[in-house]
Amino acid sequence: KKGEQVTLSGRTGAGKSTILKLLLGLYEPQSGSIRIGNVSATEVPEEERRSLFGYVEQSFHMVPGTVREQITLYDRRITEKQVQAAARLTGLEDSIASLENGYDTVVGGAGGHLSGGERQRIAIARAVLKNAPILLLDEATSALDNESERLVNKAINRISRNHTTIIIAHRPSTIAMADKVVRL
C-alpha cells in the first residue's frame, strides 16, 4: 500500500535481489506470475512498468560532474527547486551547503568529497526525483557506518510516507522500520 514499508530479509542467495529484478522486469518468472496491483505485470508495457519503480542498488555509480549532476544524472528537465527539495528530503542539504561550491562542487565519478552515506543519499535522491510510486531499495545501508545508516534510514522514512517501499535489509535497525517483514 502507499506509505507502507516492506522489508525482504534472509540469507545471502535466498532471492531477495531477484525479487526486485522480477518486479522491474529484468527477469521473467519461470513459474507463477508477478502482479502489480490487480494487473499481471506481463500486461503492463515495459516502459510503463519501469516508470512505476525508483530503484536504488546496493552499490551504485557516481557520474563525472558536480553534486547537482550526481543528483539529476544530467536531466535538464529537473529544476533547481526539485534538486533542492530532493536534497532536503534525503538529508543532504547541510552536507551540500558545507561544500566549497555547494551544488556546483565537482565530485567526479568516484564521489570525492562525499562520504559513503552522502553518496547513498544521492542515490536515494535520484529515485525521489523519478517520483515513481514504488521505491525498491537493495541493501541501501549495508556498507555504511552507524551514523550514516541512521541518516539514510531517516531519509527513507521521510520518503516512504508517499510511496510503497520495498527494502532488502539485514541490519536489525532497518528491519525494525518496516510495516511488514518477509523472510526468505
Side-chain angles (χ1 to χ4, degrees):
K1 297 176 185 174
K2 183 178 180 179
E4 186 173 55
Q5 285 186 40
V6 177
T7 296
L8 304 180
S9 182
R11 65 174 173 71
T12 301
K16 301 175 299 291
S17 295
T18 300
I19 289 173
L20 298 190
K21 290 176 181 165
L22 284 162
L23 287 169
L24 290 166
L26 300 175
Y27 296 161
E28 290 299 321
Q30 294 175 356
S31 63
S33 65
I34 304 290
R35 299 187 69 74
I36 301 171
N38 292 323
V39 179
S40 172
T42 58
E43 296 174 24
V44 180
E46 185 177 325
E47 188 174 319
E48 183 181 335
R49 180 176 178 176
R50 292 206 178 135
S51 74
L52 296 172
F53 299 99
Y55 180 48
V56 178
E57 296 179 78
Q58 182 174 356
S59 60
F60 70 98
H61 303 285
M62 301 288 281
V63 297
T66 65
V67 171
R68 179 181 294 99
E69 291 161 340
Q70 300 300 330
I71 295 171
T72 65
L73 292 175
Y74 298 96
D75 186 339
R76 303 277 185 231
R77 296 171 297 176
I78 298 171
T79 67
E80 186 66 20
K81 188 175 181 178
Q82 290 171 309
V83 170
Q84 290 175 1
R88 191 170 33 262
L89 188 61
T90 56
L92 281 167
E93 200 170 42
D94 290 341
S95 296
I96 293 169
S98 72
L99 296 171
E100 184 177 340
N101 295 312
Y103 289 92
D104 295 319
T105 302
V106 176
V107 292
H113 303 301
L114 302 175
S115 71
E118 289 165 335
R119 289 192 303 271
Q120 196 66 34
R121 284 181 281 151
I122 282 175
I124 295 168
R126 291 174 183 172
V128 166
L129 284 172
K130 185 174 181 184
N131 200 27
I134 303 169
L135 291 175
L136 306 175
L137 306 173
D138 192 348
E139 294 277 4
T141 63
S142 66
L144 302 179
D145 60 51
N146 289 337
E147 177 60 16
S148 295
E149 176 192 12
R150 186 186 67 73
L151 292 170
V152 169
N153 282 340
K154 192 173 177 182
I156 290 169
N157 276 332
R158 278 193 299 268
I159 293 159
S160 293
R161 294 179 193 142
N162 296 314
H163 299 84
T164 301
T165 309
I166 301 173
I167 304 170
I168 293 176
H170 289 116
R171 289 187 174 193
S173 58
T174 304
I175 294 170
M177 297 184 331
D179 297 304
K180 293 180 183 175
V181 176
V182 177
R183 295 200 188 276
L184 303 174

